[in-house]
Amino acid sequence: MAFTFPIYTPAGTPILINAGDNVQSIINAAPANAEFKFGAGTFVGPFTPRNGDSYYGTVTSNVLTSKIIGSTTLTGFASIGCLWRNSMEQR
């Protein structure tokens, strides 16, 4: 099975975010209703998108080459046997 991606044409010049850039800093410094294009590579969050902005990845030869991983570091866990419990967990 082959997947095809629609080609998105931005209304203006998008703000390019390259792998290794501080994504949140770029988002924060941009004007309202900005368009962001993620270049080829892997981008690890967390970062917070804004209402009104547009975000899209890079497609090369019908292959999406931008990978966005929205992760958050979890802390405060303790092992109780084979169970892991967060010390902030409500009981």
Side-chain angles (χ1 to χ4, degrees), residues 42-65:
T42 300
F43 301 85
V44 179
F47 46 87
T48 304
R50 302 179 306 184
N51 288 334
D53 288 346
S54 299
Y55 302 85
Y56 59 97
T58 298
V59 176
T60 305
S61 299
N62 285 332
V63 175
L64 183 61
T65 57

Side-chain angles (χ1 to χ4, degrees), residues 17-30:
I17 301 175
N18 293 302
D21 286 350
N22 184 321
V23 176
Q24 192 65 60
S25 293
I26 293 171
I27 292 171
N28 293 346

Side-chain angles (χ1 to χ4, degrees):
M1 172 182 264
F3 292 98
T4 58
F5 298 96
I7 301 300
Y8 175 75
T9 304
T13 302
I15 297 169
L16 180 62
I17 301 175
N18 293 302
D21 286 350
N22 184 321
V23 176
Q24 192 65 60
S25 293
I26 293 171
I27 292 171
N28 293 346
N33 301 310
E35 291 187 324
F36 299 93
K37 180 178 182 180
F38 287 90
T42 300
F43 301 85
V44 179
F47 46 87
T48 304
R50 302 179 306 184
N51 288 334
D53 288 346
S54 299
Y55 302 85
Y56 59 97
T58 298
V59 176
T60 305
S61 299
N62 285 332
V63 175
L64 183 61
T65 57
S66 301
K67 181 178 180 182
I68 301 170
I69 303 170
S71 62
T72 300
T73 302
L74 301 176
T75 60
F77 284 85
S79 173
I80 304 169
C82 63
L83 175 69
W84 286 85
R85 176 167 284 167
N86 186 297
S87 60
M88 302 299 292
E89 181 179 342
Q90 297 291 322
R91 295 179 187 220

